[in-house]
Amino acid sequence: RPGETWPVPDDAAAPLLLTTGNAGGTELLVGGKLAPSLGNAGAVRRDLPLDPERAMAGTLAPATAH
């Protein structure tokens, strides 16, 4: 929802995945800095691992199934 925030815990036991139905409207902040866009407005992105280094590099890709 617009204005909603959710902090990612530093001590997550397993990798956390993000799914968004509006990649262009979703902002990720890493250490208070805005990461590159996840995609175009309205684009659906699924199973993106919440990895700070990859987020800041703009290289988040869906997690692969094991």
Side-chain angles (χ1 to χ4, degrees):
R1 294 182 184 110
E4 183 177 19
T5 62
W6 185 73
V8 177
D10 290 332
D11 60 352
L16 298 175
L17 304 176
L18 171 71
T19 295
T20 179
N22 183 6
T26 302
E27 294 180 338
L28 295 181
L29 296 174
V30 178
K33 296 181 182 179
L34 184 62
S37 176
L38 296 175
N40 296 327
V44 175
R45 299 285 312 268
R46 291 184 172 88
D47 298 328
L48 301 175
L50 293 178
D51 177 278
E53 289 82 21
R54 290 173 60 190
M56 290 306 289
T59 59
L60 287 182
T64 56
H66 298 279

